[in-house]
Structures are given as C-alpha cells and as structure tokens.
Amino acid sequence: IRQMVRQRRNRKTVYSSSAYWNAKAEHYDSSAVSMWPNLVLNALYEREQQAAVQMQVGNLAGQRVLDIGCGTGRFSRWFATRGATVHGVDFAAEALEIARRQSSGAGNPTYAVGSVFDLSLAPGEAPYDMVFSWGVLTVACKDAAELDAVLARISLAMRPDGVLLLTEAVHASFLHRVLRMDLPSFCRAVERAGFRVEATAPLHFWPLRLALAFVPWPAWITAPAYWAGQGAMKLPGLCSLADYWIVRAVRTRCRT
C-alpha cells in the first residue's frame, strides 16, 4: 500500500517511464491479472474483464485489431484466439519481449515498440477495424490536450465505422491515475476526435478492491464480497464507484 501511495504521489513521472512498466511486466511474467496479492480477486477480475470486452466486440473473425499499450499481450492473445489479426504496440520493450514469449501461432499477434503519441499507419498499411486499450490513455495523457492529440491519431488509424474500445480508469477524484477527468468530459473528447460513443459500462467496484486486493484472502471471503460489489454497481448512483469504465465508440466518416 505504501508503495502504491508513493507511486500515486509521483504519478506523472513514474507512469510515463518505460522502466516502470518493464519492471512491472517482469514481476508479473507468466501471470494473468496479477495486479494484487489476492490472486482469487485477480481471477475474478480477469473473467469480468473478458466478459465485458466480449459483450462489446462481438464476432472478431477476420477483424484487424490494434492493441495500444498492450504490455505483455494478455488481450492481444485473447483477441487472436477469437479470429482477429492483432498488432500490439507498447513503449516498454521488455514487456513486449514477454508478450512475444507468451504468444504463439504464425506471427499472430505481432508486436512493436511504439508510443501512443507517435501512432500512425505505415505507408500502404490498411486501417484497423478495431482499436483497443486497457488503462492506457488515462495513464499516458496528462491533460485534455494530450488526450485530444492521441485520440486524433487513433481516429486516423481506423476505417470509417471501425470500433474504438477503451477500458480506462476515468476519474476526476483521488482515484485518477494521471489524467484527471470525469466520464462525461472523457466521452466528449472521444466524440471530438470523430467518434460516436455508443455505450459505457462500469467495471470493478473500487471500495471492495481496497478491502480485498492487498491481502490474500481465501475464496470464501473474496468471492462473496466481490459479487456483492458487482451487485452494488447496479444500484442507482453506485456505478460512480466503478474503478474502470468501458467506453465503446464508432468512428464516423468525418471528424467533428
């Protein structure tokens, strides 16, 4: 907990360092969602994340997918198993080496070192059918101007009517990572970049995360508490206590 508090105090410096993410990836090599000491909670989170993403993307067969900030390639591999051709980009080179070791199958996914701030299609490269990020933009972008710049680059890399799926820790409170912004403002930024926001959905009830994540509680404690949090997020007003939000948007033909 002390380490997390120190990191949050210096978030703009810490989270913009590739060395931080390389070390984090190495620490969690061969793990699924080993964000917290409570591995039962991690497993529940992974199932929740995959189910939520699947609900938003539907059939991926034949789709060309860009996974920005792909890290060790957890979702890149997941998309590939569902028939997509996937390219993962991350600025942490050592994390990508782990992604390559854990990936298999005829060069899919492929990976490249790169920054969201430099994202662009190569000459002659086909635009993407879908662009995905997990917790990238709210860490990479320090303010609304940087968010606008990154979203504009993403838009230019996509085909008209392509799907943008962002799963981000969107907060204007103490829970914010680097970008401090509420959900309506975040969605307006997505729309300014030439997208139509079609759906938003909450993930991970953060009060119970704080209670469960830092201690390896057994399943008989963790699972009922987790499901209570899932139920709580469905009550009026309590979805604001989600730690992450899925934002699904479709690229329009003209930027607004």
Side-chain angles (χ1 to χ4, degrees):
I1 295 175
R2 287 194 298 268
Q3 182 182 24
M4 185 184 72
V5 171
R6 287 196 299 270
Q7 290 170 353
R8 290 293 176 86
R9 285 176 178 171
N10 301 289
R11 63 190 79 196
K12 291 186 177 180
T13 301
V14 171
Y15 294 155
S16 63
S17 165
S18 61
Y20 168 79
W21 297 105
N22 281 326
K24 190 178 180 74
E26 187 64 34
H27 183 65
Y28 295 140
D29 191 358
S30 78
S31 300
V33 191
S34 296
M35 303 173 290
W36 313 110
N38 188 337
L39 299 183
V40 177
L41 182 65
N42 292 338
L44 290 167
Y45 274 175
E46 181 166 38
R47 286 199 290 271
E48 179 185 353
Q49 292 165 9
Q50 291 179 353
V53 171
Q54 181 64 61
M55 183 178 296
Q56 299 296 335
V57 301
N59 184 9
L60 290 172
Q63 298 287 295
R64 191 161 182 265
V65 175
L66 175 64
D67 184 0
I68 58 174
C70 64
T72 57
R74 179 169 62 97
F75 265 106
S76 294
R77 293 188 295 276
W78 189 81
F79 290 135
T81 63
R82 280 151 180 78
T85 300
V86 187
H87 183 57
V89 175
D90 200 287
F91 79 147
E94 293 175 27
L96 290 182
E97 286 304 312
I98 295 172
R100 293 185 181 100
R101 289 201 302 268
Q102 294 185 354
S103 299
S104 61
N108 184 33
T110 59
Y111 300 101
V113 176
S115 166
V116 293
F117 296 103
D118 300 322
L119 180 66
S120 64
L121 293 175
E125 183 181 7
Y128 290 95
D129 300 298
M130 189 181 92
V131 173
F132 173 79
S133 84
W134 183 276
V136 175
L137 303 191
T138 52
V139 170
C141 301
K142 298 180 178 65
D143 52 36
E146 289 192 352
L147 178 63
D148 286 344
V150 169
L151 287 169
R153 284 185 172 273
I154 291 173
S155 180
L156 291 173
M158 297 176 65
R159 66 167 175 82
D161 301 322
V163 172
L164 174 63
L165 192 62
L166 305 174
T167 306
E168 296 285 345
V170 182
H171 296 286
S173 68
F174 73 97
L175 290 167
H176 78 283
R177 289 358 183 220
V178 174
L179 181 69
R180 190 171 192 134
M181 183 177 288
D182 61 24
L183 184 63
S185 299
F186 187 86
C187 289
R188 286 194 293 271
V190 172
E191 291 176 340
R192 282 196 303 272
F195 295 91
R196 180 179 66 255
V197 174
E198 292 194 332
T200 61
L203 286 173
H204 307 341
F205 190 65
W206 72 259
L208 282 173
R209 171 173 64 80
L210 293 182
L212 295 172
F214 299 98
V215 176
W217 300 108
W220 65 269
I221 292 177
T222 302
Y226 165 83
W227 288 113
Q230 294 297 96
M233 283 196 300
K234 298 178 182 178
L235 298 175
L238 290 188
C239 67
S240 62
L241 298 180
D243 197 20
Y244 280 77
W245 284 90
I246 286 185
V247 177
R248 183 185 191 277
V250 173
R251 184 182 182 273
T252 57
R253 294 186 178 274
C254 298
R255 290 185 59 192
T256 57

